[in-house]
Amino acid sequence: MKEFSIFSIWFINLLLLLESSSYAGDSSVVNPCCYYPCQNSGVCVRFGTDQYQCDCTRTGFHGVNCTVPEFWTRLRLMLKPSPSTVHYLLTHFRLLWDLVNNSFLRDTIMRLVLTVRSDLIPSPPTYNSKYGYLNWEAYYNISYLTRLLPPVPEDCPLPMGAKGKPVLPDPKVMCERFLKRKTFRPDPQGTNLMFAFMAQHFTHQFFKTDHAVEGGFTKALGHGVDAGNIYGDNLERQLQLRLLKDGKLKYQMVNGEVYLPTVSEVPVHMVYPEHIPPEKRLATGQEVFGLLPGLTMYATIWLREHNRVCDILKAEHPTWDDEQLFQTTRLIIIGEIINIIIEEYVQHLSGYHLSLKFDPALLFSERFQYSNRIALEFGHLYHWHPLMPDSFLIDGDEIPYSQFLYNTSILLHYGVEKLVDAFSRQPAGQIGGGHNFHAAVLKVAEMVIRESRATRVRPFNEYRKKFNLKPYTSFYEFTDDKEMARDLEELYGDIDALEFYPGVILEKTGPDRIFGESMVEMGAPFSLKGLLGNPICSPHYWKPSTFGGETGFNIIKTSTLKKLVCLNTKWCPYVDFHVPRNEEEAKPRKQSTEL
């Protein structure tokens, strides 16, 4: 009887196990959403075990997979030029664009550029690194990085969904095989190190991924241009950096010039190797900026600019206290940053003949939300370390990485003017096309690939479709390098399994372009939405009184990279995001020029 009872229990458990297996354990049942069946931003919802539905709401399409265009969508698609056509038009026909730039059409086209680009980024945000469906946590918890596409479903049969190899290639092998520099390849657009260091200095105010927590979290309290890299990302750090007099920031005087204070004077946390003495550890708003003299150079320039603007405001508003002077100056500095980034930095990257314009009023009549969240994908694609050269040429000296990293003495020895002049003249590397990462920064790319896999970022071609780009049909279409195409096909098995970051960084570059089509079409919407979504660009902020009157307002509207440097240095060096274009520009200048 006892044996029968044991057998009965065993038999019942077996039946229950088989029953549950028929629902959840059948390895032949594949989540249909792993095939990414829903097109044109349709949302895949799984039903039962092997059924799905595509939610095509407000996509302009209908049908089982959201592939049948509605009437107005069909008409729009017939009239709408492709991204490649638009790019071609904007980068050719200079004489025509010269006429446009001096007419009312400039504002009209600029408004169109801003709205079309910004509309690609959902606001409020949709997904984050944890959830593949809409939920309150993804919106409310700003500790998460948001994301444009949901993650690869966890129950997919293959790492990238339902296509490709069962095992992704080793990240270290990927970096050594496709990214490591053989010979330095300068950017054909003429990008220089002044641009490269601005890229790092600018983005580190909002790209602060918390690598100690797996899953796409950020340490930043803000998700946009808040100048936290200058003032610190929390109130405690800000107060330590402030002089608490006349609105100014703390500084030290070296040979009669203003420089960043040391951690001995301002005990904020900074990342320096143990062997760096306290008197050589410069303190700034971003804790990692001691890494490169190019970053401490920019930090010094912005420190000087902040204190310069404080003096201007105090002269106009003698009744203002320290707090109002500081807070108003910070808003002006944020405005200067956005203006320089749009009108010079983005302008240079785009290669457009249309002169980009920073004028928030262009959007006041448009449907636009003044908020921003940093996306996981934006942080990944912005790893532009191929910009870094093999060594650094300053005032006739060649400095290798071993003597450049964490060496704040370089800034104090050469001075801001000589660093700006040197970095403006030295070419940066081409970002796209592969084989251009210096060995010293190769581990960063490896880290991005590992992080992408941990957060299950969708394949590169899925992002191509999201940004209205035609997905590649083969690796030989993706790259002009036949050997690379063959090797990628061997490692991934299918172009639809190619990962996001290798996709944007290895994609073939156009003629005389710094990177491929995808980097432009994917990066620009994130960038412009983040810049114009800043609170100071809203109708309630964008007026003279916000910035202390017309004087402060004009500081923003007339700011340039050259002004930023030359108003805060003893003599005006060659300063630009482009290497000298002709002999006249290349001539050294020791005297200040009229601004």
Side-chain angles (χ1 to χ4, degrees):
M1 193 74 174
K2 183 177 180 182
E3 290 178 357
F4 176 78
S5 177
I6 292 174
F7 175 79
S8 299
I9 294 172
W10 176 85
F11 184 70
I12 291 170
N13 285 337
L14 177 62
L15 288 176
L16 289 172
L17 180 63
L18 291 172
E19 182 179 5
S20 63
S21 297
S22 67
Y23 289 101
D26 186 353
S27 60
S28 65
V29 176
V30 175
N31 179 353
C33 293
C34 293
Y35 292 94
Y36 311 121
C38 305
Q39 305 301 302
N40 301 301
S41 297
V43 178
C44 185
V45 182
R46 187 180 186 182
F47 287 88
T49 57
D50 59 354
Q51 302 295 314
Y52 74 94
Q53 288 183 11
C54 291
D55 185 351
C56 309
T57 305
R58 286 183 290 278
T59 63
F61 293 82
H62 62 274
V64 175
N65 293 330
C66 307
T67 55
V68 182
E70 297 169 358
F71 173 76
W72 291 111
T73 303
R74 190 184 302 274
L75 185 62
R76 177 176 57 84
L77 291 175
M78 288 172 58
L79 299 174
K80 183 181 178 182
S82 67
S84 59
T85 300
V86 172
H87 186 82
Y88 181 85
L89 292 173
L90 287 168
T91 54
H92 292 75
F93 315 108
R94 180 182 289 276
L95 292 178
L96 173 63
W97 287 112
D98 286 344
L99 294 174
V100 169
N101 291 332
N102 290 289
S103 72
F104 71 94
L105 290 174
R106 181 191 179 196
D107 285 359
T108 303
I109 296 174
M110 188 67 203
R111 183 185 298 109
L112 185 63
V113 168
L114 293 173
T115 52
V116 169
R117 295 292 199 189
S118 298
D119 283 348
L120 289 168
I121 307 302
S123 186
T126 49
Y127 308 103
N128 67 14
S129 51
K130 181 176 180 180
Y131 301 99
Y133 50 89
L134 297 188
N135 64 91
W136 186 253
E137 187 74 7
Y139 163 76
Y140 180 76
N141 189 346
I142 63 171
S143 296
Y144 280 108
L145 292 166
T146 186
R147 67 195 300 165
L148 195 61
L149 290 180
V152 175
E154 291 182 328
D155 56 354
C156 288
L158 297 169
M160 301 308 290
K163 292 184 178 181
K165 295 289 184 74
V167 178
L168 291 171
D170 181 84
K172 189 170 185 179
V173 172
M174 285 286 296
C175 293
E176 291 284 338
R177 199 162 168 180
F178 302 111
L179 300 181
K180 188 175 181 179
R181 179 175 293 159
K182 298 176 180 177
T183 302
F184 175 72
R185 190 172 69 250
D187 170 40
Q189 275 186 234
T191 303
N192 59 23
L193 294 189
M194 196 67 181
F195 177 94
F197 288 124
M198 173 61 93
Q200 288 181 292
H201 189 276
F202 167 68
T203 59
H204 275 71
Q205 64 191 300
F206 46 78
F207 288 152
K208 299 192 71 176
T209 303
D210 190 347
H211 297 292
V213 182
E214 187 175 291
F217 285 87
T218 177
K219 293 185 288 185
L221 299 178
H223 278 256
V225 181
D226 60 2
N229 53 345
I230 301 171
Y231 305 108
D233 61 2
N234 60 74
L235 183 58
E236 181 183 4
R237 191 178 185 93
Q238 177 202 117
L239 292 173
Q240 287 179 308
L241 290 165
R242 285 172 59 179
L243 190 61
L244 300 178
K245 180 182 178 182
D246 298 333
K248 294 186 175 183
L249 296 171
K250 290 179 181 177
Y251 58 92
Q252 64 166 317
M253 298 298 294
V254 179
N255 298 324
E257 294 187 276
V258 169
Y259 283 95
L260 296 167
T262 66
V263 294
S264 300
E265 302 163 307
V266 182
V268 294
H269 170 66
M270 292 293 296
V271 177
Y272 283 101
E274 292 184 3
H275 69 271
I276 305 294
E279 65 272 12
K280 291 190 177 181
R281 299 186 185 192
L282 300 181
T284 184
Q286 228 291 355
E287 62 267 22
V288 302
F289 277 2
L291 173 65
L292 297 168
L295 300 179
T296 49
M297 174 200 72
Y298 266 116
T300 300
I301 293 170
W302 283 114
L303 163 68
R304 294 178 182 181
E305 176 67 359
H306 175 95
N307 288 352
R308 185 186 76 86
V309 173
C310 282
D311 286 336
I312 293 172
L313 290 180
K314 185 181 179 182
E316 289 202 348
H317 306 282
T319 61
W320 282 11
D321 61 10
D322 168 71
E323 190 67 17
Q324 189 166 4
L325 287 168
F326 171 81
Q327 297 295 350
T328 305
T329 297
R330 180 172 185 168
L331 291 178
I332 292 172
I333 295 298
I334 290 172
E336 287 190 73
I337 292 171
I338 296 175
N339 191 39
I340 291 171
I341 291 298
I342 289 179
E343 295 197 357
E344 297 184 73
Y345 179 97
V346 176
Q347 179 77 61
H348 170 75
L349 270 183
S350 70
Y352 292 170
H353 293 320
L354 168 69
S355 293
L356 301 184
K357 182 179 183 182
F358 173 50
D359 183 1
L362 292 174
L363 295 176
F364 288 173
S365 61
E366 303 294 325
R367 180 176 60 86
F368 191 81
Q369 292 186 312
Y370 294 94
S371 62
N372 189 58
R373 287 280 293 278
I374 297 301
L376 181 75
E377 299 99 336
F378 189 34
H380 284 185
L381 70 81
Y382 223 124
H383 283 83
W384 294 349
H385 292 76
L387 289 167
M388 290 292 102
D390 289 335
S391 59
F392 302 86
L393 309 175
I394 304 173
D395 199 30
D397 300 325
E398 182 174 1
I399 304 174
Y401 275 85
S402 60
Q403 297 174 28
F404 194 75
L405 301 181
Y406 292 111
N407 189 352
T408 58
S409 297
I410 288 175
L411 172 64
L412 300 177
H413 172 72
Y414 291 102
V416 171
E417 295 88 347
K418 287 185 178 181
L419 286 192
V420 168
D421 195 79
F423 295 152
S424 295
R425 295 174 187 278
Q426 184 171 355
Q430 186 178 33
I431 296 171
H435 301 303
N436 212 19
F437 274 77
H438 189 279
V441 295
L442 207 56
K443 285 188 176 180
V444 179
E446 185 181 331
M447 176 202 70
V448 177
I449 295 173
R450 292 187 187 280
E451 186 178 86
S452 173
R453 294 176 185 180
T455 51
R456 307 195 315 282
V457 174
R458 289 201 175 190
F460 174 62
N461 258 346
E462 290 302 301
Y463 284 94
R464 292 271 301 175
K465 290 187 282 187
K466 181 65 177 177
F467 285 94
N468 302 318
L469 299 169
K470 183 182 176 182
Y472 287 112
T473 57
S474 73
F475 288 102
Y476 293 92
E477 183 188 14
F478 166 74
T479 175
D480 294 328
D481 185 332
K482 292 183 179 180
E483 182 181 352
M484 181 185 291
R486 185 179 63 251
D487 290 347
L488 287 171
E489 188 170 48
E490 176 191 334
L491 291 171
Y492 283 100
D494 194 301
I495 185 65
D496 286 333
L498 178 63
E499 296 172 273
F500 175 70
Y501 183 65
V504 293
I505 208 73
L506 295 177
E507 183 182 26
K508 62 186 177 186
T509 62
D512 300 325
R513 303 298 296 145
I514 189 169
F515 34 50
E517 174 188 48
S518 299
M519 188 77 81
V520 176
E521 296 300 322
M522 296 178 189
F526 285 120
S527 180
L528 292 175
K529 175 63 175 70
L531 292 166
L532 273 299
N534 194 284
I536 73 161
C537 299
S538 68
H540 294 294
Y541 278 66
W542 190 249
K543 50 190 175 184
S545 57
T546 303
F547 310 102
E550 289 293 347
T551 300
F553 207 20
N554 284 329
I555 289 174
I556 295 174
K557 291 190 286 187
T558 63
S559 58
T560 65
L561 179 67
K562 184 176 181 180
K563 274 190 173 183
L564 175 65
V565 171
C566 296
L567 290 175
N568 294 290
T569 50
K570 288 183 176 179
W571 52 273
C572 190
Y574 170 67
V575 52
D576 202 288
F577 288 141
H578 196 288
V579 294
R581 297 168 179 82
N582 50 56
E583 292 183 7
E584 185 60 32
E585 282 188 345
K587 290 180 181 177
R589 289 170 289 168
K590 297 294 183 179
Q591 299 297 321
S592 294
T593 59
E594 190 162 332
L595 301 174

